């Protein structure tokens, strides 16, 4: 099932400048794993040591932020549009 | 290297003073070529942290970010920088800044002590995520 994945500007240096990819995946987890197999250097920026999504990357399927909707288990269907949106954060202390 | 025209630099400093004792945050929009980033304007955004947390942390709502990026693209510009302030703290990245940093962006940090804006520095994430590296900031026209 091909889905369309939009890559944010910040990560296009790892996808040969591609802004839009078409990948086969039945869940968000499969999609991220297809992406990091295609572009291994992205892995360290998308996933932490435990293989979980880093907190600064939001995955939207259409208008839905999957973070509170099952995360990697979130199911995808043919033609879904998935967007990675940076969640910019930081601070002076702790 | 980043180029901040005087007006842009003063806008960032103004945001740091206005938000004090909280952290301000926003985006820097402009052009880039051959490793030189030139700012056209800033996009001040709401600090999405709550209450007193805003004294030492900031967060940008992903939908605010996506909207600003679309608007910049319509003008033929790109979002290449993120600015935030450090109230009563030096203008250097914290451990949390490093943990949450993305590649590519110039992270401009301005210190605000006792409500006055002080030093302003810019940093880029190293490719192995081990540290934030300082980059040159040119204030004025070039
Ligand atoms: Zn900070």
């Amino acid at each position: 099932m091909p889905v369309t994945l939009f890559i944010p500007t910040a990560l296009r240096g790892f996808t040969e400048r591609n802004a839009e990819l078409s990948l086969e995946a039945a869940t968000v987890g499969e999609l991220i794993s297809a992406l990091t197999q295609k572009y291994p250097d992205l892995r360290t920026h998308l996933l932490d040591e435990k293989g979980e999504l880093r907190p600064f990357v939001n995955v939207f399927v259409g208008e839905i932020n999957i973070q509170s909707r099952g995360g990697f288990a979130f199911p995808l269907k043919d033609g879904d549009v998935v967007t990675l949106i940076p969640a910019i954060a930081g601070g002076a202390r702790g | 290297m980043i180029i901040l025209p005087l007006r842009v630099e003063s806008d960032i400093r103004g945001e740091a003073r206005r938000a004090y004792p909280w952290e301000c945050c926003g985006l820097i929009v402009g052009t880039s070529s051959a490793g030189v980033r030139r700012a056209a304007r800033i996009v001040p955004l709401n600090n999405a942290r709550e209450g007193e947390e805003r004294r030492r942390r900031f967060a940008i709502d992903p939908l605010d970010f996506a909207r600003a990026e679309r608007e910049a693209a319509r003008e033929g510009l790109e979002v290449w920088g993120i600015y935030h302030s450090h109230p009563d703290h030096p203008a250097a990245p914290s451990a949390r800044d490093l943990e949450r940093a993305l590649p590519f962006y110039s992270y401009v940090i301005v210190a605000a002590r006792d409500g006055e804006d002080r030093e302003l520095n810019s940093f880029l994430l190293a490719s192995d995520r081990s540290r934030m590296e300082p980059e040159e900031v040119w204030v004025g026209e070039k």
Side-chain angles (χ1 to χ4, degrees):
Chain A
M1 287 197 293
V3 300
T4 302
L5 176 64
F6 283 103
I7 306 293
T9 314
L11 299 178
R12 286 179 204 159
F14 302 92
T15 61
E16 299 162 340
R17 308 308 312 167
N18 284 315
E20 189 183 330
L21 300 166
S22 180
L23 294 165
E24 294 279 333
T27 63
V28 167
E30 284 183 26
L31 180 66
I32 299 298
S33 119
L35 175 67
T36 54
Q37 267 165 37
K38 195 171 163 73
Y39 302 112
D41 291 345
L42 252 184
R43 200 187 147 81
T44 173
H45 293 294
L46 283 182
L47 304 173
D48 67 14
E49 300 72 21
K50 292 181 215 141
E52 281 165 30
L53 204 60
R54 289 193 182 273
F56 54 69
V57 189
N58 285 291
V59 181
F60 279 75
V61 178
E63 305 276 295
I64 303 167
N65 187 341
I66 58 104
Q67 192 178 27
S68 55
R69 301 283 294 276
F72 278 173
F74 192 92
L76 297 176
K77 56 183 191 306
D78 213 5
D80 269 347
V81 175
V82 182
T83 312
L84 301 181
I85 304 180
I88 311 289
R93 281 158 287 167
Chain B
M1 171 188 177
I2 68 168
I3 299 173
L4 301 179
L6 277 173
R7 183 185 44 78
V8 174
E9 194 226 15
S10 109
D11 285 349
I12 296 173
R13 291 180 170 281
E15 288 294 309
R17 283 196 304 274
R18 194 187 52 77
Y20 185 90
W22 291 348
E23 294 196 7
C24 68
C25 58
L27 309 178
I28 304 172
V29 166
T31 55
S32 61
S33 78
V36 178
R37 293 174 152 175
R38 188 183 300 270
R41 59 180 170 87
I42 62 169
V43 182
L45 293 174
N46 179 43
N47 183 346
R49 289 282 167 191
E50 285 177 6
E52 291 297 300
E53 260 206 328
R54 286 174 286 192
R55 284 178 185 273
R56 56 192 176 85
R57 283 191 183 181
F58 79 96
I60 292 174
D61 185 291
L63 296 178
D64 282 350
F65 184 90
R67 191 178 313 117
E69 195 165 56
R70 276 197 303 274
E71 280 167 15
R74 273 201 290 272
E75 296 170 59
L77 301 172
E78 68 171 341
V79 175
W80 54 247
I82 320 279
Y83 70 85
H84 73 285
S85 62
H86 279 182
D88 299 313
H89 227 70
S94 66
R96 185 169 182 84
D97 286 332
L98 173 62
E99 183 187 306
R100 297 299 302 262
L102 279 128
F104 172 81
Y105 293 117
S106 292
Y107 284 86
V108 169
I109 304 177
V110 55
R113 264 189 298 286
D114 303 321
E116 286 301 314
D117 55 290
R118 303 295 169 105
E119 71 275 15
L120 179 152
N121 297 310
S122 186
F123 304 85
L124 283 162
L125 178 65
S127 57
D128 62 0
R129 301 197 57 85
S130 63
R131 64 198 180 284
M132 303 284 282
E133 292 170 335
E135 65 177 337
E136 193 188 342
V137 181
W138 178 279
V139 177
E141 304 305 326
K142 193 170 187 156

